[in-house]
Amino acid sequence: MKKVTILLPAYNEEQSFGLIRECMSQVLRDNPGYEWEFLLVNDGSTDHTLQQMIRLHSEDPRYSYIDLSRNYGKEIAMMAGFDYAQGDALIIMDSDMQHPVDVIPEMLRWWEEGYDDVYAERQGSKETWFKRRTSQWYYGLLQSLTRIPIQKNTGDFRLLDRSCIEALKRMRETERNTKGMYSWIGFRKKGITYIQKERQEGETKWSTSSLLNLAMNGIMSYTTAPLRIASIIGLLVSVVAFLYLIYIFATTMIYGDPVAGYPTIMVTMLFLGGVQLLGLGIIGEYLGRVFNEVKNRPGYFINSYNGERR
């Protein structure tokens, strides 16, 4: 019998555990032909999330849990889940249960037909118009900056075959954008649709700043196009400045027009200074990521796995 792991990263989600138990029970009822593992990752929660995980594990050994040593963020929590998952396939879900479990049978069906990555595409959600639109703009921008196909309106809700899991386990960078990694590793992919549910318990942990940081990480981790864009801007500014120099020289020599002094110098200096700072900022973003990676530190440390110190 094939084994399937459901990975549930959690940060301060103590109120969601009744719903998690209910949804996982539905998974067991709807898919009796598989052996199941429910892998919970406590990402340094400050509430009673860990105690809820311990309780589920004591009541049902199919629930396993990883207690990270601190809050590393969802990307690293999923990295830990990839390392400890035992299934022949892995399904990643949000612990707030906004991902519907009734699409899991369809995921399993396509997996059995030979697909390695069955990703779920949002057909609709209760998010605001602004959030949906900015998400579309972001994925459009990301696709335009890279030659690797990007699945739009998709997140981490997907089924991954063991071959995909092993590929992701070999990618040990700590500045991670897992959504880009899914595309980068390739393998045979299949998209299905789902309607995202409303959050029933607790509040979202994604603030505007954290979403912006995630978006920036996605661009910087996935493509070097911003560096090329900065080079192109620098070249264009140099060309414009050279043409303007010729214009000033010609008007002075032919018509005797006086050269504007202070205002022209100030505008030119401020414009060139802004372009230079933009270029330095982009270089600094990439250099900071290189600085973090060359330390070669482990992506995470854990307090325990199923109560055992590691």
Side-chain angles (χ1 to χ4, degrees):
M1 183 180 294
K2 294 182 179 179
K3 188 171 188 176
V4 181
T5 298
I6 293 184
L7 174 60
L8 297 158
Y11 174 68
N12 288 350
E13 291 287 355
E14 64 172 324
Q15 296 178 344
S16 298
F17 275 82
L19 187 59
I20 289 174
R21 184 65 182 266
E22 178 184 334
C23 291
M24 296 306 104
S25 297
Q26 181 182 341
V27 171
L28 295 173
R29 292 193 303 269
D30 294 345
N31 307 277
Y34 297 90
E35 183 182 355
W36 290 94
E37 176 193 30
F38 307 116
L39 181 57
L40 303 157
V41 182
N42 177 38
D43 187 24
S45 299
T46 57
D47 61 0
H48 295 94
T49 294
L50 176 60
Q51 286 74 18
Q52 295 285 0
M53 292 181 179
I54 294 172
R55 180 182 60 81
L56 282 179
H57 175 67
S58 63
E59 293 174 355
D60 188 341
R62 285 173 295 197
Y63 287 89
S64 298
Y65 68 91
I66 303 168
D67 181 26
L68 298 182
S69 61
R70 65 172 177 85
N71 176 241
Y72 290 90
K74 184 182 178 182
E75 297 288 326
I76 298 297
M78 289 192 298
M79 179 183 181
F82 297 152
D83 291 340
Y84 282 84
Q86 300 176 10
D88 301 299
L90 173 72
I91 299 174
I92 307 167
M93 301 184 70
D94 288 347
S95 55
D96 57 17
M97 291 293 102
Q98 288 186 276
H99 294 152
V101 296
D102 51 13
V103 303
I104 289 179
E106 185 179 1
M107 287 181 166
L108 294 170
R109 177 169 61 84
W110 288 115
W111 176 51
E112 293 288 3
E113 292 191 16
Y115 289 94
D116 303 304
D117 181 355
V118 185
Y119 61 90
E121 181 178 349
R122 286 189 301 271
Q123 191 75 6
S125 71
K126 300 298 183 180
E127 295 175 339
T128 63
W129 176 90
F130 179 75
K131 189 172 182 180
R132 292 196 305 270
R133 183 61 64 182
T134 52
S135 177
Q136 292 172 1
W137 290 340
Y138 169 71
Y139 281 109
L141 173 64
L142 192 58
Q143 182 63 84
S144 67
L145 295 178
T146 181
R147 292 172 292 179
I148 302 174
I150 302 292
Q151 292 87 35
K152 295 181 180 180
N153 297 321
T154 62
D156 297 306
F157 185 29
R158 61 184 65 218
L159 179 148
L160 299 171
D161 181 74
R162 171 53 64 177
S163 57
C164 295
I165 300 169
E166 293 300 326
L168 291 168
K169 285 170 63 175
R170 295 176 62 182
M171 302 169 72
R172 306 306 296 182
E173 60 259 41
T174 56
E175 299 290 331
R176 300 175 72 82
N177 179 254
T178 313
K179 296 175 183 63
M181 292 178 179
Y182 300 139
S183 299
W184 191 88
I185 62 175
F187 294 99
R188 195 178 181 199
K189 300 184 184 298
K190 175 66 179 180
I192 62 174
T193 60
Y194 77 101
I195 297 177
Q196 183 167 301
K197 295 183 176 181
E198 290 188 66
R199 173 184 274 269
Q200 297 185 31
E201 302 290 347
E203 298 179 352
T204 180
K205 309 306 183 296
W206 290 101
S207 62
T208 301
S209 60
S210 60
L211 288 172
L212 287 173
N213 183 63
L214 182 66
M216 183 67 70
N217 244 346
I219 294 174
M220 295 296 178
S221 301
Y222 206 45
T223 175
T224 57
L227 292 173
R228 183 166 298 177
I229 292 172
S231 299
I232 293 173
I233 291 174
L235 177 62
L236 291 175
V237 169
S238 298
V239 170
V240 171
F242 181 72
L243 293 176
Y244 185 58
L245 175 64
I246 295 175
Y247 169 77
I248 292 176
F249 181 77
T251 54
T252 302
M253 296 297 294
I254 297 173
Y255 302 106
D257 290 344
V259 178
Y262 182 76
T264 303
I265 293 174
M266 284 302 299
V267 170
T268 303
M269 289 180 61
L270 290 173
F271 177 70
L272 292 178
V275 172
Q276 290 171 344
L277 289 174
L278 173 64
L280 288 173
I282 294 173
I283 294 172
E285 288 287 342
Y286 281 99
L287 185 60
R289 283 161 172 75
V290 173
F291 172 72
N292 288 331
E293 295 297 340
V294 297
K295 295 176 184 178
N296 202 28
R297 292 177 178 174
Y300 61 90
F301 291 101
I302 69 171
N303 286 321
S304 63
Y305 171 67
N306 287 342
E308 299 179 3
R309 301 284 293 186
R310 293 295 178 100

